[in-house]
Amino acid sequence: ASTTVGSLCCAGTTAAQVPIYGQRFLDTRNQIEKSKYVIAWGNNPAISKQGYFQRFEKVMENGGKFVVIDPVFSESASKASEWVAPWPGTDAALALALLKVVVDEKLYDEEYTLAHTCAPCLVDKATGEPVLQKADDPTSFVVFDKKSGEVVRHDQAGVEPALTLEGTSAAETHNTEFELMYAEAAKWDSAAAEAECGVPAADIERLAREYAQADKAMIIQNMGGFMRTENGTYAVATQLYLAALCGQVGHEGDGVSDAAGISEVKTGNPIEVPKLEQPVPSPSRFKFGEAILNEDPLKVNVLWSMTGNPMTQWPNTNMVRKGLERIPFVVTADQYLTSTALYSDLVLPVTGVFETEGVLANHRSHWIQLCEKAIEGPGESKSDLEIFTEPAKRFGFGDKLDRPMKELVSNVLEPTGVSYDELSEKKAVDVVGPDYIPYKDGVFLTKSKKDEFWVAAWKKEGFSPIATYSRAEEDARNGSELAAKYPLFSVQRKTYRSVHSTFNNLAWMDEVCDRQPVILLNAADAQARGIADGDKVVAFNDRGEHHGVAEVGERIKQGVVGLQNGWWEQQGGSSSYVTNDKWKTLGGTHCCNQTLVDVKKEA
Ligand SMILES: Nc1nc2c(c(=O)[nH]1)N[C@H]1C(S)=C(S)[C@@H](COP(=O)(O)OP(=O)(O)OC[C@H]3O[C@@H](n4cnc5c(=O)[nH]c(N)nc54)[C@H](O)[C@@H]3O)O[C@H]1N2
Ligand SMILES: Nc1nc2c(c(=O)[nH]1)N[C@H]1C(S)=C(S)[C@@H](COP(=O)(O)OP(=O)(O)OC[C@H]3O[C@@H](n4cnc5c(=O)[nH]c(N)nc54)[C@H](O)[C@@H]3O)O[C@H]1N2
Ligand SMILES: [Mo]
């Protein structure tokens, strides 16, 4: 058995936050209202975090500022203090430009930087690698001690680390991580960044000053759209750099939000999962069609699809369809007859959340919740567990799965300290706590306990180990043949209609939401194409076509087209028909927001 690989969602956070801050799925939601300056960077919490958007509004009510960075004048931007509209996929350059202002104007928090980050750690110019005092001790970074003039361990008592080496004996042979980071930032003075990102230089300088000098400033990432781009991992990383250098992490009201919670608390597995004796190669979701058609890395005879909808959510839908059509036996287990079900040989009806016993103890919530069965599932529907148990019995290991739910839930709860009986009585327990602060007091979860800027894993993947920016392949300004043919950037957005494709099929949604896919166009781009508001239009490129209704106006940057996420094949087809299926970028980011298209009136 094999699986598919590639995170469609937030691979950029994993690839940046884990090495730099030490762990991901830590979020600041409990601190938002205490913040004085909040940047929602490339995400739209008014739609995608509706449950606590009121906290962002509180920031403004309390006299603070709420800034939204998005090429679309989103629902969040419309409620914010300020809208900043960069070109898609240029966020790393924008963050580096902010960093340059912060360093040039000495707005960084030197005390915090020296105490809690690896900024002063030495990198050998000859090898390009950080210097360790002991090769086998990954925590033994060294710094140049200004007091003794010697190179010593970063955490030696009384050390006075040099942030820059100029004028020291180490300058010829070494750099500090701070110097390497600044060298990347130095490429993006505010004029260069204005040209690349399309954000006025004066705004860049002002944003940098406001963020660095705010009493409590927070960056909201929330697995944002900005990271579903070619430079997504670096875009996440540069924001982490910025926050750490400004000392805006680990205190009340500051931090970088990753939108989650429960991973601060370990949870168990319901059943013991046996380890595979030999690793099995896995096709990527991004090049699924090619992988299946070429039988590379393996021939797939049976596909089991559950808790996902490849025909609407995986990039390049025409190729996904070809892959599904080629596989001899496709099983879809779902509550709905989804778009993927249309291309399946067997569809197994699964019970819904109110029809199934279980426990919710996962990322994106601070709560552990007991799921109780409110009603029986309709017809022949069964829970995923029951569906797996029946074949498992026939394979001879049914007893592993056929356990009382209380036992399975207790196994999940075991490391949390919450007992089944407590949960059963309270129904929900906030395991993170209302005052939770990630990386509290500047203690990071890396081995060195400091924020580490230089990332070995990126180097291993063949990319720069210090976050950098260069233009993506699908950038409308590239002067490439592709950009000439498809001159518009396109970006995706979640809608209030659905969670991805889930619920989009519900008929009553038509009464309160957009009834058809909306394609957002700037008035100038629409006029140039003879398109009027409300026209039926198609966004297209070499991968395929996405059909919708034009919404024409000024709520999107000129040169950018806004496409909605989650429309079904049965509703005319997903925006994924056009989305970029590039594999593999640094960290394996999904590049749906790095897609060139053109738009025309429906014939
Ligand atoms: N209602 C609803 N809520 C959801 C979901 C849903 O489907 N529906 N999905 C959930 C999931 S899994 C996730 S990952 C989160 C995602 O949450 P969000 O990131 O908030 O969702 P998106 O709509 O993908 O992207 C938000 C914004 O990013 C902008 N954007 C796109 N590309 C770029 C870029 O390169 N730079 C910048 N600065 N902005 C860019 C888009 O214009 C869009 O307005 O939402 C979660 N919440
Ligand atoms: N074009 C485009 N593509 C995108 C994005 C975008 O913005 N635009 N966003 C990307 C992001 S951030 C993400 S996270 C992915 C999400 O991609 P998917 O995870 O594929 O999202 P959904 O479409 O919500 O699919 C979930 C399916 O699981 C079913 N389901 C729900 N509960 C259960 C259950 O208990 N058992 C079983 N068997 N099934 C269940 C639902 O009915 C639904 O059909 O999409 C990515 N793809
Ligand atoms: Mo996601």
Side-chain angles (χ1 to χ4, degrees), residues 106 175 204 320 353 383 407 444 446 551 564:
K106 295 223 164 25
N175 283 120
I204 293 173
V320 174
V353 68
S383 71
E407 181 185 319
F444 291 91
T446 53
E551 183 185 321
Q564 292 177 326

Side-chain angles (χ1 to χ4, degrees), residues 463-501:
F463 291 84
S464 162
I466 287 282
T468 180
Y469 169 83
S470 54
R471 249 195 210 166
E473 214 170 283
E474 293 203 24
D475 183 299
R477 300 149 315 158
N478 274 350
S480 62
E481 239 173 83
L482 188 76
K485 208 164 154 196
Y486 304 115
L488 299 171
F489 287 91
S490 69
V491 291
Q492 302 285 313
R493 62 210 162 95
K494 290 1 173 193
T495 70
Y496 51 98
R497 221 195 124 101
S498 67
V499 180
H500 308 292
S501 72

